Amino acid sequence: MTEPTIARIALVDDDDLFRESLSLNLGDEGYEVITFDRGEPALDFFADGGSVDIVLLDWRMPKLDGIDVLRQMRARGIATPVIFLTVLSDQIYEEAALAGGALDFVEKSRSLSILLKRMRLILDGIKGDGIKGAEDADAGGASTSHRLGELELRLDNSRALWKGKRIDLTLTEFNIVKLMSTRPEEDVSYREIYDLVHGKGFVAGYGPSGYRANVRAFIKRIRQKFRSVDAGFACIENYPGFGYRWGKGENAANQGRDEDGMGEDMLIDGAAAD
C-alpha cells in the first residue's frame, strides 16, 4: 500500500543542484514536492488553480526575485504559507520577508531537520486552525486572538502586536511568545522552550546544557524585536538557572542577565538562533 503524503510542497529555486537535492530529501520524508526554477512558472501554477500546503521560496532568482513572488501571491489573494529558504542571513532580509507576509525565514546552511521542524509547526498550525474553526462555529464564534496587557497574538495568522504595533516574529518566535504569554507569571524552563523549537528529545549540542545558549539567543532576538517598537519592553523575565517567564514588566533590571550573571549577549561560541 502506498503511504499517504504528509503534505504538498512547492519548491521555487533557480539552483538546479539544490532544488534537486532538497526535493529528493523531502520526498524521502514523505512530502510531495513540485519544483519550479523561477518565480514566473510558480505564479502561473497558482493562477491555473494549483495548490500546495507550503511554498519554499528562494530570494535571489533571475527576473523576478522571491520577495516579488511573495508580493504577487498575496496581491492575488494566494494565502499559502511561505518559508523563505535563502543564503541571505542579514536581519534586513528576514524583516522584509516577514513584513511581506512570509511565515518563516530559514538559512540554507541549516540542517534538513531544522527545516522539517519549521514545516511541521506550520502544518500543525493549519490543522489546529481547522479544528479550532469547527469548534468556534459550534460555540457561536470564539475569538481567534489572545490578549494579555499590551500584547495581542492573532492566532489565525501567527501575527503579534505590542501596543497596537506589529512585531515581525518568525513562526518559531511567535510560538515561544505564545507559550510564555498563555502561561503568565509561570516559569517556563529552557528545555521546554528548546523542545518547542526542535521537538521533544532532540539532542542538544555544546554539552549537557548546550540548549540553554540556543534558547538565550532566541529570547535575545525576541526582546530586540519588541524593543524596536517599545524601548521599555521588559515582560520577558529571567528565572536564573531555570528559564523565563512572561511577567508584568516591572523588573527591567533583570532583563538580559542569565543564571551565571553574564549578559545574554555573551553566548557560547557557535550558538545561534535557528
Side-chain angles (χ1 to χ4, degrees), residues 34-131:
I34 305 169
T35 62
F36 303 93
D37 63 356
R38 301 183 318 282
E40 294 89 338
L43 290 172
D44 290 342
F45 167 78
F46 289 116
D48 291 338
S51 65
V52 295
D53 298 294
I54 296 175
V55 176
L56 301 178
L57 184 59
D58 188 24
W59 190 294
R60 286 180 174 167
M61 294 184 291
K63 295 185 179 179
L64 198 64
D65 62 21
I67 195 67
D68 287 329
V69 173
L70 175 60
R71 287 169 180 158
Q72 289 200 32
M73 287 177 59
R74 296 301 184 246
R76 299 178 187 185
I78 302 167
T80 307
V82 169
I83 298 177
F84 266 95
L85 199 57
T86 175
V87 297
L88 302 172
S89 59
D90 290 348
Q91 188 168 327
I92 185 173
Y93 294 106
E94 177 186 322
E95 291 173 350
L98 297 173
L103 275 186
D104 218 332
F105 186 95
V106 180
E107 294 176 40
K108 286 184 176 179
S109 61
R110 296 293 182 189
S111 66
L112 177 64
S113 63
I114 294 295
L115 176 61
L116 292 173
K117 175 62 179 177
R118 302 295 180 83
M119 291 166 59
R120 174 55 66 185
L121 285 170
I122 290 176
L123 293 171
D124 288 348
I126 292 171
K127 293 176 184 176
D129 286 346
I131 295 170

Side-chain angles (χ1 to χ4, degrees), residues 13 85 128 155 160 186 270:
D13 197 301
L85 199 57
L155 307 178
E186 179 181 336

